[in-house]
Amino acid sequence: MNRIIEVCANSAQSCVEAEAGGAARVELCAGIPEGGTTPSYGEIVMARQSTERIAIHVLIRPRAGDFLYTETEVGAMLHDIQVAHQLGVQGVVIGCLTPDGDINEPLLDRLMAAARPLSVTFHRAFDVCRDPHAALELLIRHGVDRVLTSGQEATAVQGIPLLRELVSQADGRIVVMPGCGVRADNIARIESETGAREFHTSARRVVESGMIYRNERVPMGSCAVTSEFETVQTDRHEVARYVSRTCIK
């Protein structure tokens, strides 16, 4: 089976790069330093208009932080899913937990009902749930298509033991997709040691600003950044390295 690469795309331009590099799918999101939040209407529109073949899955996450949501936040998520339908994307990425660290089953029902027939991925809220094996069975029962996980560790490499267990437990009933710290120099190891076939990566590079005049005394946000005149963007050449099965030395 061919390796399937999903790129965490932070912009419509990153979607263009991911497609050019041979990725099968993108998770389109904003707020990468915050772990990802829902992208804007305009970003989704331009991602759709600027690509031809790649599947676009939109992250549905109203804020940074934990995955325990108020009813107001749930309302925003449901409206964002409706927008995803209207704009013709192929999937959404969702997640929700209870105060006790279990998957919030009633809320999952509501989100799934709103999302179908789009493809549904359960995001890394899974990595901070109390019982990953029970959570996996719950996601299978509810018809979730895949789960994005680092194996409940800081990186997918560290999470290989649990990832291996989850892939075996899933037994083809749901896709277990390793993500977080998946790189061209370790993807073959994760693949061989877990049996996973879909992988989530950013494949980004730093892009230098075209600005000539620069006032570097004035930051635009409170987040620590290297420079206001640098951004990050998916790189098609890096994506191609992940897609290739010869990217390991």
Side-chain angles (χ1 to χ4, degrees), residues 140-185:
I140 292 168
R141 289 197 304 273
H142 285 262
V144 174
D145 297 292
R146 69 185 54 78
V147 56
L148 169 62
T149 172
S150 62
Q152 297 205 323
E153 298 290 348
T155 69
V157 169
Q158 292 170 281
I160 282 175
L162 179 57
L163 287 168
R164 183 189 304 116
E165 292 177 10
L166 294 172
V167 170
S168 176
Q169 178 184 344
D171 193 26
R173 297 176 296 161
I174 188 173
V175 173
V176 175
M177 179 171 61
C180 193
V182 175
R183 302 189 305 271
D185 62 359

Side-chain angles (χ1 to χ4, degrees), residues 210-233:
M211 288 293 296
I212 297 172
Y213 172 75
R214 302 185 177 196
N215 181 353
E216 301 200 33
R217 299 188 304 276
V218 183
M220 293 294 110
S222 60
C223 294
V225 294
T226 302
S227 169
E228 295 287 353
F229 300 97
E230 291 180 351
T231 56
V232 291
Q233 177 181 293

